[in-house]
Amino acid sequence: MVSALVLLGGGLCFSAYGQQQSMLFDFGGADAQTGQPTIFWNNIDEGLGSTFGGFQGLVDSDGNDTGIQLWVDQPFDETANQAGTDTSDLYPSSATADSLVSSSGSAMLTLVNDSGNQSQTFTLTFFASDLAATDNRETTFEIYGLEDYSVFLNPSGNVLNSVSVSDVEFDVELPILLAPGPNHTDQNTIVYLGVLQVDSSAGWTAYIDFGSADATTSTQGSGDLLYWNNLTGSIGSSDTGVLSNLVSTDGFESDLAIQMVARFGGVNEAGTLLSTIYPVSATRDSLFGNTEEFQGLTDVYPIFMVTGLDPAVPYDFTFYASRMSTGGDIRETLYTVTGATVAETTLNASENLDQTASVFGMQPNAFGEVTIALTPGPNNNNSLHFTYLGALQIELPGQEQTFLVDFGGSATTEVVVPDSDRWNNVVESVGQTNDGVLTQLAKTSGVKTDYALQMLARFNGVNRNGTTESTSFPASATSDSMFGNTAEFSGLANVFPEFKLTGLDPLTNYDFRFFGSRNSVSDNRETRFTVTGTNSVIADLDTANNVEATADAAGVTPNAAGEITIAITPGPNNTNSTGFTYLGVMEVAWENTFVPQIVIDGGGTGNPTPLQDDGTVWNNLLSNVAESNTGILPGLKTVNGTETPFAIEMIARFTGVNENGTLDPTAPYPATATRDSLYGNTEEWSGLSNIFPQFKITGLDPQVAYSLTFYASRTSVSDIRETEFTVDGTNQVIVTQNASNNIDQTVQAADIMPAPDGSITVSIAPGPNNDNGYHFTYMGVLQIDWEGGLPNQEDELVSLSQLGYSGGVLTFTLTGRSGQTYTIQGSDDLQTWDDLKQVTLAGDSEEVTVETLEPAQFYRAVR
């Protein structure tokens, strides 16, 4: 793909064939972070907190198991206090607005370390709030580790205060006793706990919300996007309505479908707008049924089937519905779920915010179907016996696949964008120290890296008088900056902030862009940024009353250790008497070094291999291509995301997909790639016989040698299922692999020279040792390696210039190659692009007009 990008009203322009990468840094206060990461919480509600011996395994803020359990040794009261603050900047309102309490004057928790890592130390932070209390209700937190500690916190009227204990050590158990503090009044003996934050020296943080089950703190997921499916009233109000090809929350299309058997009555739009577990567009409306006559319909008992499931896999089904302002009646729905077995669960939609009902481990019938029927629950006392379904969540627990379905009206839920790791926040605890470190910096795509930011010389503090009107960056990033100074200020003089980025690629050039803003000043507050690797680049920016200006330092190469240092000093034009300097935003951009490797997951739609945490990009050869004699998978991408002219072109189909491969973590590829394989067979199977799969890899450079690595796994078998791969270019290499119970074995056909047309052909047949009765053959992963770059890629100058907009018409000049067709796209966030128009150039350049009522901020031309 060749592309050109322009900023509306600006001059940013680049041509890209590789994968452009970038990071964004918000330097400022902890009270105004930008693009904060999704935070996973643990919830101890009144039911668990009032139960002796109740325990919960804690997950960290990334959702990973910490190996720490929390036990309740001395229970709290059965009723939570819900008079806490909802305006604290420390934690979400769902965590600060309620607390567990003990009116008896004592409660006790124990942290149990089963992680096997006894060398960790911990910092414990406590918070509680009761805005209705006017007396002193100070609570003592006694911590009994290898050393004993005591801290005190008064929850009465508390909004921003918390207390902490650092460097806590314990072997296996850490008891925490709550008791009235020394300043506690004599009127009562009540003690409180709303939030416990556990920070480990091992690098993780766990957040625990103690409070009501009606206000737990939860997350929607850890990805950047959650894709939804919408079963609207037009589908659900028909006995034959179908919603096909459900997509997973990762956006991958599947063979799953929802098929109506008996209709819903219609759509109710009186659901909650306050749920913390699903978006408003999903919670505010539901499809409903009814027993007594309503809108001309009686005895409406909705039934639908989920089809396309794997009969060998258990599924979890979670139901949600909400109907507010019901007058206090019970509108309980009984969901009867029928597959290979039958299970029931109930949910009362009346005044519901966050309650769900689930059926776990449901095995589909032999046809891959699960039927769900809605009837009034046994406690339903509504006069019309309404039943509701607002959201259905289908999960494959062992495969990390989730499908979300919004049952409702016109307010469809298309894609949810939860908080993500798109920004890196340098807050006071990092920037106001000489040795603060921010590790695992995230790209704007959300993928974490091994890069780190390490302070070398501190900032003085945070200034919160920046602009909120910039169109370049969010107000949370532009309104505050970290600052330095030369003359004394706040007790500090000669503050010249300095930090370095570590873990960078010494062979890659990095481009830096800096932004800072200080409003309502009349002097010049020019800041100089000196960026140093093997070379040094200086950029100056006057931050005084700045709204849009930035300073660029491009083309800096890291030193041999992979480090670049940024030093901040007053610029030569700085006239401020204190010599203030400012940094609010830093953007780092680079293009990955090209990696000549491609990995392809051959399997089904249920388990495609997504972008990996380490940034590895996979291609998925799915059944819709592989089970066709003419299927094509074009534009294969390298592991670092570079799109290539390579393609997979089927010549003879595979039979289907087998999903009984290994999940062993020692396998050389992700479980989503090892657990399923495309297969062929000789004897008749699924109505097909003599299936000898064959395909070509096209678009290769005829002058370059390519090595093809094959992998497949088929577990729980006792025969030999050897596959023979014949790889033909101008030379031929034959390799064999036995997929039976394979975990870590691969085979490679090395140094294949493509045919003159740039193709390599792969033919698959049973190996000579294959003794399976059907002579099954398998391909789960294909890896392609070579040395060098991409073939026949001529430099092509593509640009958009003379951009203008007036009266709903966008005009610009497109420069490219005569006869080439380009697609014009627009975006407001550089993430989602909309196709606007296709243009085929009659010459090297052409004036283009695009009618659009709402102009985007960015435009590009791609081919």
Side-chain angles (χ1 to χ4, degrees):
M1 176 180 71
V2 174
S3 65
L5 173 71
V6 295
L7 170 68
L8 182 60
L12 175 64
C13 174
F14 65 84
S15 171
Y17 192 86
Q19 183 191 32
Q20 191 75 14
Q21 304 289 327
S22 61
M23 287 180 178
L24 291 168
F25 295 81
D26 177 2
F27 288 77
D31 55 342
Q33 298 183 51
T34 303
Q36 300 175 61
T38 298
I39 301 298
F40 287 78
W41 280 71
N42 305 271
N43 290 278
I44 308 295
D45 61 19
E46 61 270 88
L48 186 60
S50 62
T51 302
F52 175 77
F55 72 92
Q56 178 165 321
L58 302 181
V59 299
D60 64 17
S61 57
D62 291 325
N64 302 310
D65 183 14
T66 64
I68 304 293
Q69 290 184 341
L70 185 147
W71 294 73
V72 179
D73 292 297
Q74 189 170 334
F76 292 85
D77 294 351
E78 294 182 357
T79 301
N81 179 287
Q82 301 191 48
T85 179
D86 60 3
T87 60
S88 177
D89 291 329
L90 299 177
Y91 301 107
S93 60
S94 56
T96 60
D98 57 358
S99 299
L100 291 187
V101 297
S102 175
S103 55
S104 67
S106 64
M108 189 172 183
L109 308 168
T110 297
L111 297 180
V112 181
N113 186 359
D114 287 336
S115 69
N117 182 4
Q118 308 300 331
S119 63
Q120 298 178 81
T121 61
F122 300 88
T123 298
L124 307 181
T125 301
F126 302 90
F127 176 89
S129 173
D130 185 347
L131 299 186
T134 57
D135 53 353
N136 190 310
R137 302 190 176 185
E138 185 180 66
T139 299
T140 298
F141 301 98
E142 300 275 359
I143 299 101
Y144 301 104
L146 298 184
E147 296 183 23
D148 297 341
Y149 304 88
S150 296
V151 289
F152 313 96
L153 177 69
N154 180 18
S156 301
N158 183 34
V159 175
L160 294 174
N161 293 324
S162 62
V163 292
S164 297
V165 175
S166 301
D167 299 323
V168 176
E169 297 180 85
F170 67 101
D171 290 330
V172 178
E173 296 184 355
L174 181 69
I176 303 171
L177 176 67
L178 282 68
N183 298 307
H184 199 292
T185 61
D186 296 332
Q187 296 170 326
N188 59 65
T189 57
I190 192 169
V191 293
Y192 292 74
L193 178 56
V195 174
L196 171 59
Q197 177 180 332
V198 182
D199 293 280
S200 168
S201 61
W204 54 261
T205 299
Y207 297 96
I208 311 166
D209 176 4
F210 293 81
S212 170
D214 294 330
T216 56
T217 304
S218 57
T219 62
Q220 290 181 325
S222 60
D224 290 330
L225 302 174
L226 296 180
Y227 287 80
W228 280 74
N229 304 272
N230 291 278
L231 197 143
T232 60
S234 60
I235 298 174
S237 298
S238 165
D239 292 334
T240 58
V242 176
L243 179 64
S244 59
N245 298 121
L246 301 186
V247 297
S248 69
T249 52
D250 293 321
F252 291 104
E253 187 176 286
S254 75
D255 295 326
L256 272 62
I258 293 180
Q259 180 177 327
M260 294 301 303
V261 177
R263 62 168 290 175
F264 287 86
V267 179
N268 181 282
E269 297 188 346
T272 182
L273 306 180
L274 301 176
S275 176
T276 65
I277 60 174
Y278 294 122
V280 168
S281 53
T283 63
R284 63 162 297 165
D285 56 2
S286 299
L287 296 182
F288 68 87
N290 52 282
T291 303
E292 288 68 28
E293 183 175 351
F294 184 76
Q295 295 182 345
L297 298 173
T298 58
D299 296 321
V300 180
Y301 301 105
I303 303 174
F304 59 89
M305 291 193 304
V306 182
T307 66
L309 304 172
D310 185 342
V313 175
Y315 293 79
D316 295 344
F317 295 84
T318 298
F319 305 92
Y320 176 88
S322 174
R323 175 58 164 91
M324 307 303 288
S325 305
T326 59
D329 60 5
I330 298 174
R331 304 196 179 188
E332 185 182 68
T333 300
L334 173 67
Y335 304 95
T336 302
V337 184
T338 305
T341 57
V342 179
E344 296 179 343
T345 187
T346 59
L347 177 70
N348 180 18
S350 297
E351 313 298 332
N352 184 33
L353 299 183
D354 292 326
Q355 297 301 307
T356 60
S358 297
V359 169
F360 300 103
M362 174 57 63
Q363 205 92 13
N365 63 23
F367 301 101
E369 300 169 345
V370 168
T371 300
I372 298 171
L374 281 67
T375 55
N379 300 306
N380 189 316
N381 62 9
N382 174 262
S383 60
L384 300 178
H385 292 94
F386 284 123
T387 58
Y388 300 88
L389 180 56
L392 170 64
Q393 182 169 322
I394 307 171
E395 296 179 274
L396 290 74
Q399 302 174 27
E400 300 180 343
Q401 286 290 306
T402 301
F403 300 84
L404 294 169
V405 186
D406 177 0
F407 288 74
S410 57
T412 57
T413 306
E414 300 298 339
V415 176
V416 176
V417 184
D419 289 338
S420 69
D421 285 326
R422 296 180 184 274
W423 283 74
N424 302 277
N425 289 277
V426 183
V427 297
E428 294 94 334
S429 59
V430 176
Q432 289 178 217
T433 70
N434 292 325
D435 55 1
V437 178
L438 194 61
T439 61
Q440 290 190 305
L441 301 179
K443 302 177 187 178
T444 52
S445 64
V447 175
K448 292 183 178 180
T449 71
D450 292 329
Y451 299 172
L453 182 147
Q454 180 178 333
M455 294 300 302
L456 302 174
R458 63 168 291 175
F459 289 87
N460 188 318
V462 177
N463 183 283
R464 293 177 169 83
N465 294 306
T467 183
T468 59
E469 299 178 356
S470 175
T471 62
S472 301
F473 304 107
S476 56
T478 62
S479 62
D480 59 354
S481 298
M482 289 195 161
F483 68 88
N485 52 282
T486 52
E488 183 173 336
F489 186 82
S490 296
L492 297 174
N494 295 317
V495 179
F496 301 104
E498 187 173 0
F499 57 89
K500 65 181 179 180
L501 297 182
T502 65
L504 305 177
D505 182 355
L507 301 179
T508 297
N509 292 331
Y510 293 82
D511 299 335
F512 291 78
R513 176 164 294 180
F514 302 97
F515 177 91
S517 175
R518 176 56 166 94
N519 281 345
S520 304
V521 293
S522 57
D523 51 7
N524 185 305
R525 303 198 177 187
E526 186 179 67
T527 300
R528 168 161 288 185
F529 304 96
T530 302
V531 186
T532 304
T534 57
N535 58 324
S536 186
V537 179
I538 293 174
D540 295 329
L541 175 69
D542 182 9
T543 60
N545 306 305
N546 183 33
V547 176
E548 301 289 359
T550 60
D552 295 339
V556 181
T557 304
N559 61 24
E563 298 176 348
I564 290 177
T565 300
I566 297 93
I568 300 174
T569 56
N573 300 306
N574 188 313
T575 61
N576 178 261
S577 59
T578 310
F580 282 128
T581 58
Y582 301 88
L583 176 57
V585 174
M586 180 175 73
E587 181 176 6
V588 185
W590 70 98
E591 188 168 307
N592 274 355
T593 303
F594 178 75
V595 178
Q597 184 182 83
I598 290 171
V599 283
I600 304 166
D601 175 5
T605 56
N607 297 286
T609 301
L611 179 71
Q612 300 296 287
D613 290 341
D614 63 1
T616 300
V617 175
W618 278 75
N619 303 271
N620 288 280
L621 179 61
L622 303 178
S623 53
N624 61 332
V625 173
E627 293 176 28
S628 164
N629 294 329
T630 58
I632 298 177
L633 179 64
L636 299 180
K637 292 183 178 181
T638 63
V639 291
N640 70 334
T642 303
E643 186 172 322
T644 75
F646 304 165
I648 298 288
E649 296 186 11
M650 295 301 302
I651 300 171
R653 63 169 290 172
F654 288 87
T655 303
V657 178
N658 181 281
E659 297 188 345
N660 293 307
T662 184
L663 299 175
D664 194 305
T666 64
Y669 301 108
T672 49
T674 62
R675 66 153 297 148
D676 56 0
S677 298
L678 298 170
Y679 71 90
N681 53 281
T682 303
E683 287 68 37
E684 184 173 342
W685 176 265
S686 296
L688 298 173
S689 59
N690 295 318
I691 301 299
F692 298 96
Q694 188 178 43
F695 58 87
K696 290 195 300 184
I697 308 169
T698 62
L700 306 174
D701 188 335
Q703 306 303 314
V704 172
Y706 296 83
S707 294
L708 277 57
T709 300
F710 301 94
Y711 175 90
S713 174
R714 175 56 165 96
T715 59
S716 303
V717 294
S718 58
D719 51 10
I720 298 174
R721 305 195 179 188
E722 186 181 67
T723 300
E724 181 177 86
F725 301 95
T726 301
V727 185
D728 287 293
T730 57
N731 59 323
Q732 182 185 82
V733 176
I734 299 175
V735 294
T736 60
Q737 180 185 48
N738 180 18
S740 296
N741 304 307
N742 182 34
I743 295 176
D744 57 3
Q745 298 301 304
T746 62
V747 292
Q748 186 180 77
D751 298 328
I752 307 296
M753 298 299 295
D757 65 355
S759 69
I760 290 175
T761 300
V762 178
S763 303
I764 299 175
N769 300 307
N770 190 316
D771 61 7
N772 174 263
Y774 297 94
H775 291 93
F776 285 126
T777 57
Y778 300 90
M779 187 184 79
V781 173
L782 169 60
Q783 177 178 316
I784 307 171
D785 296 273
W786 70 100
E787 294 184 3
L790 294 172
N792 305 319
Q793 295 302 317
E794 300 177 8
D795 292 336
E796 179 177 334
L797 178 61
V798 185
S799 65
L800 305 180
S801 59
Q802 299 177 338
L803 191 67
Y805 179 81
S806 178
V809 178
L810 175 73
T811 60
F812 56 88
T813 297
L814 170 62
T815 300
R817 182 185 298 173
S818 179
Q820 181 63 57
T821 299
Y822 300 90
T823 300
I824 309 302
Q825 298 178 327
S827 173
D828 286 319
D829 57 7
L830 292 177
Q831 302 294 321
T832 302
W833 292 89
D834 297 320
D835 291 347
L836 304 177
K837 188 175 186 177
Q838 281 197 331
V839 178
T840 301
L841 289 180
D844 290 336
S845 63
E846 181 177 322
E847 184 175 288
V848 178
T849 61
V850 177
E851 294 185 2
T852 174
L853 296 178
E854 297 183 2
Q857 189 174 0
F858 304 96
Y859 290 91
R860 71 180 182 184
V862 299
R863 70 163 177 84

